[in-house]
Amino acid sequence: MRLKTSSGAALAAAALLATAACVSDSTAENTSDSALSGSGAGEECAIEETVKLGAVFSLTEAAAFAGAYQQEGLELAIEELNASGDITYELILEDDKTSVEDSVAAFEKLIDRDKVSAIIGPTLSNMAFVTYTDSQSAGVPTLGVSTTAEGIPDIGDYIFRASLPEEVALAASIPAAKETLGMQQVAVLHDSADEFTASAYNTISDVLADEGIEVVVDETFETTDTDFSAQLTKILDADVDAVILSALPGATVPLVTQARDLGIEAPIVGGNAFNSPVLVGALGDAAEGLIVGGAWSAAAETTGNAEFIAAYTEKYDRAPDQFAAQAYTAGYLIDQAVRSDCDANREAIKDNLGQILEYDSILGKISLDEGGEVTQEPVVQIIRDGAFTLL
Ligand code: 1QQ
């Protein structure tokens, strides 16, 4: 529709209408759209209106190593879902450029302008702690696929994650590394400027204490640092059995490279950012022996995993990684939540996401509870000959 007049009264009326629309949008109960509620149950569910799903990933800048795979994994799931049933999903994808400001703007656009039924993402916990308050106050169910820091689901009852918490991954990887490496004395290095790496540090300290492993060097750095010689020299002098590193890839590559150049040969135990072939490729030989806990393995014989890997590789001409696998799974989890009551309204998706029990996914059996937390088995992998291998 085109407005022919631009009189003050018409503009004022339009502004009032816009305000009224905004207010009602922020109240979950008022957003119910009957065309988003279909007929039939489960696999038979048919919904007339196209279901809009938003996704916010870091497609450029520092976290693009994960965001690009997330885009591919989620797009593959949406394509498969659209081809297989009577629900049509439209994915509206936004790039937060690895920036908190852009992530907030993307969430606001998806919530207010696109009026999506649910949001998937963002890539980093650092953005999630800010953007999820918007989802929560607008009543938009939001499903993280790589937001692993402590406390994310506590932001509110619209916030969920299908991303293995770092606490769970480290509680598996550190004992496995202890057993494999006979680890008794370690150095811990962590990025104190990022929510995910700082929260992981707390878990690392707890797990090391529980395992009776002594921390002989405990050093910090910040996300954008490039020179780690001061910290690394202390590690070299201490002669540790392993280095536990909590870092994003931007710092990991120079840090690990400088460590090896300096002569530190101790194996490295890393966090979630290490679950990336991009990072392993960038590190080359310096990545050998690295141990990491995660949510997915190419070697796992989980339901549909081999088919997922084949379809993904065929479509994108490269193998998937954990970030792709988690985003792919998220598409199916949202679809499960929609099919439960054959209803793609925000409120129904929120209620049903919190009821997903042992869904058989490529990540293994996965459950989401009302509190938004995920339950799944972690895997521990080691880099051998440049490839992830189950430990
Ligand atoms: C987080 C993470 C990152 C490493 C994902 C890319 O786990 O920010 O929570």
Side-chain angles (χ1 to χ4, degrees):
M1 188 183 73
R2 261 201 174 171
L3 281 180
K4 268 181 26 200
T5 169
S6 62
S7 76
L11 284 178
L16 257 178
L17 275 174
T19 313
C22 266
V23 170
S24 70
D25 280 341
S26 62
T27 315
E29 292 73 40
N30 293 343
T31 58
S32 183
D33 172 355
S34 57
L36 280 175
S37 168
S39 56
E43 293 306 304
E44 304 303 317
C45 165
I47 296 180
E48 201 184 301
E49 196 159 299
T50 296
V51 179
K52 288 193 209 168
L53 299 179
V56 180
F57 294 138
S58 300
L59 302 176
T60 52
E61 303 301 331
F65 76 97
Y69 279 90
Q70 292 176 317
Q71 169 179 5
E72 292 177 354
L74 183 56
E75 285 180 346
L76 176 61
I78 299 295
E79 191 179 293
E80 290 176 3
L81 290 166
N82 283 344
S84 68
D86 291 324
I87 305 174
T88 305
Y89 294 101
E90 179 196 350
L91 183 65
I92 305 173
L93 180 69
E94 303 291 330
D95 176 13
D96 73 14
K97 307 186 186 90
T98 319
S99 122
V100 175
E101 293 73 29
D102 286 290
S103 211
V104 169
F107 268 73
E108 287 176 358
K109 172 185 176 282
L110 293 171
I111 293 168
D112 295 329
R113 183 142 38 108
D114 300 322
K115 306 199 185 313
V116 296
S117 287
I119 299 177
I120 296 159
T123 301
L124 296 184
S125 293
N126 226 25
M127 285 76 178
F129 278 109
V130 184
T131 55
Y132 283 179
T133 57
D134 284 338
S135 295
Q136 178 63 28
S137 58
V140 179
T142 299
L143 180 61
V145 290
S146 55
T147 40
T148 62
E150 274 177 300
I152 295 260
D154 302 337
I155 295 170
D157 55 348
Y158 287 83
I159 307 304
F160 299 85
R161 65 172 156 196
S163 37
L164 186 82
E166 188 69 341
E167 290 160 89
V168 179
L170 289 164
S173 61
I174 292 177
K178 179 184 174 190
E179 204 180 310
T180 310
L181 310 171
M183 209 163 71
Q184 284 173 347
Q185 291 198 324
V186 296
V188 180
L189 253 177
H190 87 276
D191 175 349
S192 57
D194 176 83
E195 295 277 2
F196 149 71
T197 53
S199 124
Y201 171 71
N202 296 333
T203 308
I204 291 168
S205 308
D206 291 349
V207 178
L208 289 174
D210 286 352
E211 293 290 321
I213 298 167
E214 192 188 352
V215 179
V216 289
V217 180
D218 194 348
E219 290 288 315
T220 63
F221 56 91
E222 294 199 354
T223 316
T224 51
D225 286 355
T226 52
D227 177 2
F228 304 93
S229 46
Q231 297 93 327
L232 292 174
T233 306
K234 290 186 191 161
I235 295 177
L236 184 68
D237 293 345
D239 190 23
V240 293
D241 299 322
V243 178
I244 318 283
L245 179 57
S246 182
L248 291 172
T252 298
V253 175
L255 199 156
V256 175
T257 309
Q258 286 169 32
R260 298 303 186 221
D261 287 350
L262 202 67
I264 297 173
E265 286 171 7
I268 294 173
V269 180
N272 194 35
F274 281 95
N275 287 305
S276 164
V278 176
L279 192 106
V280 171
L283 282 171
D285 287 347
E288 278 306 297
L290 202 140
I291 293 174
V292 61
W296 174 83
S297 164
E301 289 173 6
T302 46
T303 304
N305 204 24
E307 292 81 354
F308 160 69
I309 295 169
Y312 188 103
T313 310
E314 161 88 26
K315 185 168 164 66
Y316 301 113
D317 217 14
R318 63 173 176 175
D321 71 355
Q322 174 208 259
F323 297 104
Q326 288 176 304
Y328 175 85
T329 305
Y332 278 87
L333 292 175
I334 297 270
D335 182 61
Q336 279 296 303
V338 168
R339 283 177 192 281
S340 299
D341 286 331
C342 198
D343 190 341
N345 280 292
R346 291 170 172 179
E347 212 48 24
I349 295 180
K350 170 224 161 205
D351 288 344
N352 289 310
L353 265 180
Q355 313 271 344
I356 288 181
L357 202 61
E358 305 221 321
Y359 176 72
D360 216 358
S361 79
I362 60 169
L363 308 178
K365 296 246 194 269
I366 186 163
S367 304
L368 300 182
D369 63 33
E370 262 179 64
E373 191 58 287
V374 64
T375 305
Q376 68 162 113
E377 283 299 313
V379 295
V380 180
Q381 300 196 97
I382 183 164
I383 313 290
R384 289 217 172 97
D385 298 326
F388 287 93
T389 316
L390 281 171
L391 189 65

